[in-house]
Amino acid sequence: MTEYDVVIRGGMVFDGSGAAPVAADVGVRDGKVAAIAPGLPDGVRTIDAAGRWVMPGILDVHTHYDAEALVAPGLGESVRHGVTSVVLGNCSLSTVYAGAEDCADMFARVEALPWDIVHGAIKESKTWQDPAGYAAALESRPLGANVAAFIGHSDIRATVMGLGRSVDAEARPTDTELAAMRRMLTDALDAGFVGLSTIRSSFSKLEGTRFPARQLPSTYATWREYRRLNRILRKRGRVHQSTPNLAMPAEVALYLAQSVGSLFRRPLKTTLIAAADVKADRRASWAATFAATLANRFGGEFRWQHLPVPFEVYADGVDLVVFEEFGSGAAALNVRDEMERGKLLADESYRRRFRKDVAKRFGPRVWHRDLYDAEIMACPDASVVGKSFGAVADERGIEPADALLDLAVEHGSKLRWRTTIANDRDDVLDRLQQSPVVQVGFADSGAHLRNMAFYNFGIRLLERVHQRGFMPVETAVHRLTGELADWYGLDAGYLRQGHRADITVIDPAGFDGTSSAYAEAPFPAGGSPQRMVNRNDRAVTATLVNGHIVYAEGEFAEGFGTTLHAGTFLRATDR
């Protein structure tokens, strides 16, 4: 009888702790790591890892897979890039309590997901009534990766108050309603949820026909409401995840203060998006890390989430989330019909507002609004492809803002363009990835189908480390695995005897510079949209989840996402 189900032969084994790797074989039996030693006999399946890195599976702590996990539970775009555990329910959005219409209204615009797909996923799948039932429903599905979850504040607030009252700036929850929210949060933590997610961002708008363009419910809450919920998180040692309002940068101080403990209270684990070297404000990353360092020095437990790659975004016409940050941009996004939007963009009074907004160079903002730094990737008018809007404007003798609007009016969503809004300087990116107040996250996997593609963020970090050498490989592995698992209180992130066999095999020879290349793939949750992705399959030899080889040599396992039950629901524990 063969002693091992799988043997990974002859690799350099990283255990996820930050310790130096060892040359060894890894034997897997019954979903666990049974042995790490040289000279193991062959298993039922043997993977040749000579010259390769064998490491714990990568954790992706900031995803919006909530709808996709219900109807396409393989989560293959992450699995193929070495991710074995994901955390969903971020940014106040979860699908635990609210009904299908409320969920679709809350997810569709802010996360750039088709309304009907979100609505259909919840309507067709929902059998649960509470967080424990939700966890059981996920576990019953053929998950390709392990799943952990936040409970979303907008989810519970809309359920308790009704969506209409929850997005009314004049409405406040009653004491009875606040007590109900606290019970719902407690039930979620009892079911193993990692914590609560909230949001303050003015970017976060509702879709749908009932309350279009209002912000998400969580943004209407007072800090008194947050404090009432935070007391539960603090007592249990769980996490508060949030997105601040970039129009009110001083508000970040309230998050920092809530994280700080004292003789009379525990620190509150708090993580925000995002630490980034923003082109529009080159001081932002320094200020963010300095403030977090100071808060932690005084007893805080604060982390900025950070995308460890250049933050490149794409837009079809004017469909891009950063347009929410200025009045004329939000006004265009409020018009969902493409013909009506075209009429608005052609209106001269609107154009005056748009030119003024784009020209503004002061105040909090994410997008640099430099239309000479915006490359047209596709357009029915082939003469503009490869040029910036600024270059097109110079050729036509008009303003860059008018060049963008002219092309958007003429071609609508067939106009595709890109720009990099942050993380374009290698030295600053290197510094951020080594900061103790920064954690690797904010991939936004599962969201923004046509805007962002960061499913392979972990591979791209390892590639940068391998090529630039700004930190030891074992440190980078730790930052992607054990460090995150420990902070979120999850049983993951380590490759050790007796632990669950969530393993990624990396071939550094596959770091060939293609990891940032643009590609598209069908959206697995159905419908017509193509999803923007990156693909660098040569870098990942194999991904194992709970001992199952779910992806190897460019192919998914038989039954992946349909009959193969590899992943499970990861439950956090009190700390």
Side-chain angles (χ1 to χ4, degrees):
M1 180 178 178
T2 304
E3 188 174 357
Y4 302 108
D5 302 320
V6 179
V7 168
I8 304 172
R9 169 91 61 215
M12 295 300 296
V13 179
F14 298 81
D15 69 2
S17 71
V22 297
D25 304 334
V26 177
V28 175
R29 182 173 57 244
D30 297 330
K32 304 282 187 181
V33 177
I36 302 175
L40 297 181
D42 281 348
V44 175
R45 291 189 64 178
T46 298
I47 297 172
D48 180 8
R52 298 172 185 181
W53 303 342
V54 183
M55 55 179 276
I58 295 168
L59 277 73
D60 186 347
V61 298
H62 193 111
T63 82
H64 292 284
Y65 274 131
D66 305 73
E68 187 173 334
L70 297 174
V71 294
L75 309 181
E77 205 54 52
S78 289
V79 167
R80 74 186 304 136
H81 292 115
V83 172
T84 59
S85 298
V86 305
V87 181
L88 43 74
N90 284 275
C91 299
S92 88
L93 297 171
S94 59
T95 60
V96 177
Y97 288 109
E101 188 172 14
D102 285 357
C103 285
D105 282 359
M106 289 190 286
F107 271 88
R109 178 163 169 174
V110 67
E111 300 305 338
L113 291 166
W115 189 95
D116 56 340
I117 287 178
V118 178
H119 182 267
I122 311 304
K123 184 176 182 180
E124 295 169 13
S125 304
K126 189 165 186 176
T127 57
W128 57 88
Q129 302 298 320
D130 55 25
Y134 174 80
L138 283 180
E139 283 185 312
S140 72
R141 283 166 166 74
L143 294 170
N146 303 307
V147 173
F150 283 103
I151 186 70
H153 183 223
S154 287
D155 184 2
I156 63 176
R157 197 172 203 266
T159 301
V160 168
M161 299 177 66
L163 184 59
R165 283 187 63 236
S166 75
V167 295
D168 182 346
E170 302 301 319
R172 293 288 180 265
T174 65
D175 288 344
T176 299
E177 289 170 334
L178 272 174
M181 289 188 218
R182 284 168 56 86
R183 285 195 302 272
M184 295 162 89
L185 173 58
T186 298
D187 288 347
L189 301 186
D190 288 345
F193 283 55
V194 297
L196 174 74
S197 69
T198 65
I199 196 167
R200 304 291 292 174
S201 170
S202 57
F203 289 10
S204 55
K205 304 289 180 63
L206 295 180
E207 185 63 281
T209 59
R210 296 175 298 165
F211 310 103
R214 293 196 193 177
Q215 294 175 193
L216 291 182
S218 184
T219 65
Y220 294 92
T222 63
W223 281 88
R224 173 180 177 269
E225 184 175 328
Y226 287 153
R227 285 193 292 271
R228 294 285 295 273
L229 298 170
N230 283 341
R231 288 173 194 162
I232 299 171
L233 297 173
R234 196 184 301 277
K235 181 179 179 180
R236 304 282 292 265
R238 303 293 180 88
V239 178
H240 183 147
Q241 183 275 330
S242 194
T243 306
N245 185 350
L246 295 175
M248 300 176 65
E251 196 173 63
V252 172
L254 295 173
Y255 287 102
L256 295 168
Q258 79 174 8
S259 179
V260 174
S262 68
L263 291 174
F264 306 104
R265 69 176 193 177
R266 299 176 65 181
L268 174 64
K269 286 186 173 181
T270 304
T271 181
L272 301 187
I273 58 172
D277 179 25
V278 181
K279 282 187 175 183
D281 183 359
R282 291 304 195 182
R283 303 163 298 175
S285 65
W286 178 88
T289 54
F290 176 79
T293 300
L294 196 63
N296 288 349
R297 190 171 297 164
F298 283 93
E301 188 61 51
F302 184 94
R303 299 290 186 275
W304 287 104
Q305 293 184 4
H306 166 67
L307 181 69
V309 302
F311 202 128
E312 186 178 53
V313 296
Y314 285 72
D316 294 324
V318 295
D319 268 317
L320 186 62
V321 67
V322 294
F323 273 69
E324 301 276 16
E325 73 179 351
F326 56 96
S328 59
L333 295 182
N334 288 342
V335 180
R336 309 310 288 170
D337 179 80
E338 191 164 336
M339 290 185 64
E340 291 300 315
R341 181 183 288 176
K343 292 178 183 178
L344 175 67
L345 301 187
D347 181 78
E348 181 54 35
S349 63
Y350 172 83
R351 288 185 169 223
R352 284 195 295 270
R353 292 166 51 207
F354 188 82
R355 290 187 206 108
K356 183 177 179 180
D357 284 339
V358 169
K360 184 179 179 182
R361 290 291 178 262
F362 301 101
R365 55 201 173 98
V366 173
W367 181 28
H368 49 75
R369 305 182 203 172
D370 180 359
L371 294 178
Y372 287 90
D373 187 7
E375 182 185 4
I376 300 167
M377 305 302 298
C379 183
D381 179 358
S383 70
V384 302
V385 174
K387 300 175 182 177
S388 70
F389 292 113
V392 172
D394 290 344
E395 291 175 359
R396 297 182 179 184
I398 58 177
E399 293 291 320
D402 286 302
L404 168 58
L405 294 177
D406 285 348
L407 291 169
V409 169
E410 185 174 358
H411 304 294
S413 61
K414 294 179 182 179
L415 169 69
R416 188 150 180 78
W417 56 279
R418 70 176 179 184
T419 188
T420 299
I421 62 174
N423 297 344
D424 57 310
R425 298 185 296 179
D426 281 333
D427 57 336
V428 180
L429 202 51
D430 294 349
R431 177 177 60 81
L432 285 171
Q433 286 158 27
Q434 297 175 82
S435 171
V437 299
V438 164
Q439 61 183 208
V440 180
F442 194 36
D444 251 3
S445 304
H448 305 288
L449 302 187
R450 301 289 299 163
N451 299 142
M452 307 175 193
F454 304 124
Y455 298 90
N456 68 343
F457 69 100
I459 301 304
R460 292 174 70 176
L461 171 58
L462 293 172
E463 183 175 28
R464 290 189 74 251
V465 168
H466 181 64
Q467 293 174 347
R468 291 179 57 79
F470 61 90
M471 75 167 79
V473 174
E474 56 265 30
T475 301
V477 170
H478 173 62
R479 302 223 72 183
L480 291 166
T481 59
E483 177 182 306
L484 295 170
D486 290 344
W487 203 81
Y488 285 87
L490 298 172
D491 177 21
Y494 291 94
L495 203 172
R496 292 172 174 165
Q497 188 169 339
H499 283 230
R500 191 175 56 251
D502 296 336
I503 304 171
T504 296
V505 182
I506 302 293
D507 184 357
F511 295 151
D512 56 9
T514 62
S515 62
S516 62
Y518 180 93
E520 292 192 356
F523 184 43
S528 59
Q530 287 285 104
R531 173 160 66 182
M532 175 184 161
V533 298
N534 296 129
R535 289 287 167 83
N536 54 320
D537 292 336
R538 288 187 60 238
V540 180
T541 298
T543 306
L544 285 75
V545 176
N546 285 300
H548 298 279
I549 303 174
V550 291
Y551 178 80
E553 303 294 347
E555 299 291 338
F556 289 104
E558 183 178 354
F560 178 81
T562 56
T563 59
L564 175 60
H565 290 252
T568 190
F569 187 81
L570 294 182
R571 290 169 171 82
T573 55
D574 289 351
R575 295 295 175 106

